[in-house]
Amino acid sequence: MKIAVYPGSFDPITFGHLDIIERASLIFDRVLVAVSINPGKQPLFSMSERTEMIARECAYLSNVVVCSFKGLLSDFVREQGAHAIVRGLRAISDFEYEFQMALMNRKLNPYAETVFLVAKPEYSFLSSSIVKEIASFGGDVKGLVSDYVALRLKEKFLNNR
Ligand code: PNS
């Protein structure tokens, strides 16, 4: 069984992430969507809130499992017996960071092979950060995230005021 880990902050999950998850689920037998900590980012949603939102969005995909971890990705991949790390590439600007991460993960775990899926053009401009910025000013995030995630963003920014 070929298992892939799709790690990320998912703060919150967008249609861009969902597109990558769907496509990975067609390639691998099982996809573990793993909510993890990016030390360079201060999350808006807790890990359990992010996990819950992803689980809801991916409920229709029978070979997708949602989980979270706090340590190194390379260790998590080893523990799960996974064969690949899936990452989405939106633009050239993503490449440098992704390239460094892929090489480092392979150094830490020679079996951690990174597979890049190129984002659909309609999602190439989409990021969780931009969605949060729009939502924080009361803007419309329709078409970028699900109605449920849009509602969770609205609640979060109302409660944070
Ligand atoms: O969605 P993001 O923020 O781009 O995801 C980045 C993430 C969470 C996958 C990355 O920061 C990560 O792998 N965190 C776990 C800690 C780790 O292994 N860091 C070393 C990466 S080479």
Side-chain angles (χ1 to χ4, degrees):
M1 184 188 268
K2 292 281 178 215
I3 303 172
V5 173
Y6 177 37
S9 307
F10 305 109
D11 186 41
I13 183 168
T14 67
F15 283 157
H17 294 129
L18 204 51
D19 170 49
I20 299 292
I21 296 168
E22 264 184 18
R23 285 157 56 199
S25 78
L26 296 174
I27 300 170
F28 296 96
D29 298 313
R30 179 175 293 179
V31 178
L32 304 178
V33 181
V35 181
S36 21
I37 296 171
N38 181 337
K41 292 179 182 170
Q42 184 60 45
L44 176 68
F45 291 98
S46 70
M47 248 179 165
S48 59
E49 286 174 318
R50 286 179 270 159
T51 308
E52 181 263 319
M53 282 187 273
I54 302 168
R56 204 179 160 112
E57 302 297 308
C58 297
Y60 67 101
L61 295 167
S62 59
N63 62 339
V64 172
V65 175
V66 187
C67 54
S68 63
F69 69 91
K70 287 199 167 137
L72 279 175
L73 173 58
S74 50
D75 290 339
F76 181 75
V77 168
R78 190 181 289 112
E79 284 158 22
Q80 298 298 320
H83 304 83
I85 295 168
V86 169
R87 293 285 289 173
L89 274 184
R90 289 166 300 188
I92 287 288
S93 51
D94 280 343
F95 186 73
E96 204 170 318
Y97 169 65
E98 294 296 337
F99 186 64
Q100 185 183 25
M101 215 162 64
L103 289 178
M104 189 52 78
N105 280 321
R106 203 172 55 197
K107 183 170 170 51
L108 295 168
N109 173 358
Y111 300 103
E113 198 66 69
T114 300
V115 174
F116 292 111
L117 297 184
V118 175
K120 283 189 181 161
E122 60 264 44
Y123 299 134
S124 62
F125 62 91
L126 179 53
S127 71
S128 298
S129 309
I130 208 142
V131 165
K132 281 182 284 190
E133 188 172 322
I134 295 166
S136 73
F137 289 108
D140 188 4
V141 291
K142 208 175 165 62
L144 308 177
V145 295
S146 70
D147 290 347
Y148 178 69
V149 171
L151 189 69
R152 298 297 304 271
L153 280 161
K154 208 170 178 174
E155 284 168 4
K156 190 61 98 175
F157 286 114
L158 277 179
N159 291 337
N160 282 0
R161 256 183 211 162

